[in-house]
Amino acid sequence: MNKNYTFLSIISLTSAIAFSQNFQQNKGDIYQNIITEVQQNNQLHQLAVELLDEIGPRLVGSPEMKQAHDWAVHTYEKWGIKAENIPYGEWKSWQRGITEITMTSPRIKSIEGTQLAWNIHTKKAIEAEVIALPLFENKQHFENWATSVKGKIVLISAYQKSGRPEHQWKEHATEEDFEMYKKQVAEATTAWNNSLKATGKSLRELVQFLEEKGAVGFIQSFYTGTMGSNRIFYSFAQKSPMVDVSLEDYGLLHRLATYGKVPKIKINTQSKNLGTTQTFNTIATIPGTTKPNEYIMLSAHLDSWDGAQGATDNGTGTVLMMEVARLIKKYAPNNDRTIVIGHWGSEEQGLNGSRAYVIDFPTETQKIKVLFNQDSGTGRINYIGGQGFAQAYDYLGSWLQHVPEPIRKYIKTDYPGMPQTGGTDNASFVAAGIPAFNLGTQNWGYGQYTWHTNRDTFDKIVFEELEKNVITTAILTLEAANYPGEISNEKRTLPNNSQWPSTKEPLRSSDVY
């Protein structure tokens, strides 16, 4: 053995131990420095402007998604943190353009709406009469009606009796009127579902069947139950425009059509089909010292649906993890364990990026001792479950004690909990036996208001809450990265013959989506 090499190794090990001891001795000051900077000089707002305002929505396969990956790498490198984009598949590449929807008869009115993802563009604006799906008694009734759609634009969503959320009815209506309203809504929903069932087709199949019959466009309104909020996903139509419009404007068109007023609209969509492109995960690394082959991972998906900016799903999770990494690099760069930050692609289509990482890098995955994931909106962290790991209380419980009490008091825990089977990216790692904890947050109307909707915009971010999350996540990460003991991944015995979730293959191509 080379004596000089041995001597240098001893120096390196001695230095690493000194770094570790220095952290334990000084972590109170380190945590205070982080808290002070979060309160006085954090970069959350700047990061959000760059990601959400400058780049915008991040639909998988879009040029904006690749721009976001490159921006993340550049930002990390600016902070002195190594980062790279790692490809794992390919996807259809589509870029949103302008959407113009105008009612041209019986009067002129601009319609609030947007084209759905991966839909074709109109070479020139399409103007046609609007007709509504009736309630079908049976399959023959549907097929007979379908002969009337040629040259028409078809309304394919149920008509909503009221655009007011249920809580307003409950608060303001008489008890009798509220009960009657709920009864009417329930009956209308049942009638609509039975009508669709009578066609013998799913909604996707119905749209494609009507395209074959000559329909020249489709309008939906995927209302969430919150005023002004619609979910924006992807088009079922293959060769004609398909748009989602606001509840108010959808109701207008539906009433005119059903009362025989023959409404007409003009649709102009200028999206771009750009073929196929690679899909990526962005991985950043802050190397450890004494235990560099043990990882603490921070996790957040970078992609979004593109009805809005993807601010709370998952812009907030993304900038949270980036700001935590920046502060750790600045105030505590030399930790025992390596800190890895994963920004996943195509979470919205089935956890594809994180599942690909688990499958493609099994050795690296098994080095992960703990993972913290955030993907549930803008609120303060208020729940951490043990994910079915038998000893989670021992280490998570002790780490949480270092979070300031005014923040910690809002965080409920559940040990050992049950393993998460889906929903967000930590589930990909739980399936691989990794203690991967989702940092659940205060709701702030996430489910109905911003999740996958046209209202998931910058103004919905509550930065006061996000600042608390940076403090919590930074402290948990540093506690985990410097925890002197072993971090157990022992699984609990699951009740009722439940099975631990298994790893799943990602979708690596949009051909099967």
Side-chain angles (χ1 to χ4, degrees):
M1 181 179 288
N2 184 291
K3 292 183 180 179
N4 289 332
Y5 178 81
T6 304
F7 181 66
L8 290 173
S9 297
I10 292 172
I11 292 176
S12 177
L13 179 60
T14 302
S15 298
I17 292 172
F19 283 137
S20 177
Q21 292 174 340
N22 182 65
F23 174 82
Q24 296 297 340
Q25 293 169 359
N26 296 286
K27 70 179 181 181
D29 291 337
I30 292 171
Y31 292 167
Q32 188 55 57
N33 286 336
I34 289 173
I35 291 169
T36 299
E37 178 145 351
V38 169
Q39 292 173 339
Q40 298 180 3
N41 193 36
N42 71 73
Q43 293 190 18
L44 290 168
H45 203 276
Q46 178 179 335
L47 291 170
V49 167
E50 293 174 0
L51 178 63
L52 306 176
D53 287 342
E54 186 176 11
I55 297 173
R58 300 162 304 284
L59 183 70
V60 60
S62 68
E64 290 77 15
M65 186 64 203
K66 181 56 165 61
Q67 186 181 355
H69 282 297
D70 292 342
W71 165 81
V73 169
H74 172 75
T75 303
Y76 278 120
E77 290 178 343
K78 182 175 64 177
W79 297 335
I81 299 172
K82 180 183 177 182
E84 60 181 328
N85 292 329
I86 301 176
Y88 66 85
E90 64 180 21
W91 207 265
K92 49 193 168 188
S93 183
W94 183 87
Q95 187 172 38
R96 180 175 295 285
I98 63 168
T99 300
E100 297 174 334
I101 311 168
T102 306
M103 185 174 74
T104 58
S105 180
R107 59 186 173 90
I108 302 294
K109 183 186 183 303
S110 294
I111 299 294
E112 179 189 357
T114 191
Q115 183 181 25
L116 296 172
W118 301 309
N119 189 215
I120 67 160
H121 71 279
T122 55
K123 294 180 180 179
K124 62 178 182 178
I126 293 175
E127 184 175 12
E129 178 187 340
V130 175
I131 60 174
L133 288 179
L135 293 178
F136 300 110
E137 298 172 4
N138 50 50
K139 188 174 182 180
Q140 189 62 53
H141 181 197
F142 164 66
E143 291 179 349
N144 290 341
W145 174 86
T147 61
S148 68
V149 304
K150 186 175 182 179
K152 309 290 178 54
I153 295 172
V154 184
L155 300 169
I156 60 166
S157 295
Y159 178 75
Q160 300 294 326
K161 171 182 171 61
S162 174
R164 292 189 178 276
E166 186 174 292
H167 70 83
Q168 287 191 0
W169 277 87
K170 184 176 182 180
E171 179 181 358
H172 298 293
T174 66
E175 184 176 346
E176 294 79 10
D177 286 348
F178 178 49
E179 291 302 319
M180 179 59 70
Y181 165 75
K182 290 194 296 181
K183 182 174 182 291
Q184 290 173 343
V185 169
E187 290 174 348
T189 300
T190 298
W192 177 261
N193 291 337
N194 287 340
S195 175
L196 284 181
K197 186 176 180 180
T199 70
K201 300 181 184 298
S202 67
L203 188 58
R204 180 202 291 260
E205 292 168 339
L206 184 147
V207 167
Q208 293 171 0
F209 177 80
L210 295 181
E211 269 195 312
E212 294 172 3
K213 293 296 184 179
V216 296
F218 298 89
I219 303 174
Q220 71 167 39
S221 185
F222 196 158
Y223 180 55
T224 68
T226 294
M227 289 191 294
S229 193
N230 278 26
R231 302 207 196 281
I232 308 297
F233 291 121
Y234 61 98
S235 171
F236 297 150
Q238 303 294 313
K239 52 191 178 183
S240 54
M242 184 169 179
V243 297
D244 185 281
V245 307
S246 69
L247 173 70
E248 298 91 333
D249 285 342
Y250 189 88
L252 166 68
L253 294 170
H254 194 282
R255 289 188 298 272
L256 290 171
T258 55
Y259 277 88
K261 304 303 180 182
V262 194
K264 292 183 179 180
I265 64 168
K266 181 185 292 186
I267 301 176
N268 176 28
T269 58
Q270 294 300 314
S271 55
K272 296 178 181 178
N273 184 338
L274 302 173
T276 59
T277 189
Q278 282 188 307
T279 52
F280 299 90
N281 293 318
T282 297
I283 305 296
T285 307
I286 302 174
T289 55
T290 62
K291 301 174 182 178
N293 288 322
E294 295 186 11
Y295 297 168
I296 307 301
M297 178 170 269
L298 301 179
S299 165
H301 74 85
L302 184 57
D303 66 307
S304 74
W305 286 106
D306 74 333
Q309 292 166 291
T312 67
D313 187 19
N314 188 31
T316 46
T318 298
V319 301
L320 162 65
M321 296 307 181
M322 293 182 74
E323 178 69 354
V324 168
R326 182 186 75 84
L327 292 168
I328 288 175
K329 178 65 176 177
K330 181 174 182 178
Y331 291 110
N334 301 299
N335 301 286
D336 291 342
R337 296 181 176 89
T338 295
I339 297 170
V340 179
I341 308 96
H343 296 284
W344 315 115
S346 193
E347 186 270 354
E348 299 294 5
Q349 289 70 44
L351 316 186
N352 293 322
S354 55
R355 284 177 174 170
Y357 183 90
V358 169
I359 296 293
D360 295 347
F361 300 98
T363 301
E364 295 298 292
T365 296
Q366 291 306 314
K367 293 178 182 179
I368 301 170
K369 297 302 177 181
V370 165
L371 177 147
F372 296 113
N373 181 73
Q374 214 288 306
D375 176 27
S376 54
T378 191
R380 64 186 176 276
I381 294 167
N382 66 356
Y383 176 79
I384 304 175
Q387 295 294 334
F389 292 94
Q391 308 302 321
Y393 171 78
D394 293 344
Y395 45 87
L396 273 178
S398 67
W399 300 342
L400 278 167
Q401 293 308 306
H402 296 276
V403 176
E405 196 276 336
I407 298 175
R408 186 178 71 247
K409 69 181 182 180
Y410 294 108
I411 303 175
K412 295 181 179 180
T413 55
D414 176 27
Y415 303 110
M418 291 289 288
Q420 195 168 329
T421 59
T424 187
D425 291 298
N426 68 299
S428 302
F429 295 88
V430 169
I434 306 301
F437 305 106
N438 191 53
L439 305 176
T441 61
Q442 189 75 5
N443 188 271
W444 284 87
Y446 177 69
Q448 283 197 318
Y449 194 25
T450 62
W451 179 65
H452 300 167
T453 76
N454 56 336
R455 296 296 184 254
D456 192 8
T457 47
F458 191 107
D459 58 295
K460 308 309 185 306
I461 299 175
V462 183
F463 283 96
E464 293 81 359
E465 299 270 75
L466 203 53
E467 289 170 6
K468 296 178 178 68
N469 294 349
V470 172
I471 293 169
T472 298
T473 308
I475 290 174
L476 289 175
T477 303
L478 288 172
E479 286 294 321
N482 297 284
Y483 186 61
E486 292 296 317
I487 302 175
S488 171
N489 65 352
E490 177 189 351
K491 300 173 185 176
R492 67 172 288 184
T493 300
L494 299 180
N496 302 322
N497 298 316
S498 300
Q499 297 294 316
W500 197 269
S502 58
T503 56
K504 295 181 180 180
E505 284 287 342
L507 296 180
R508 298 184 188 268
S509 169
S510 54
D511 291 343
V512 292
Y513 182 70

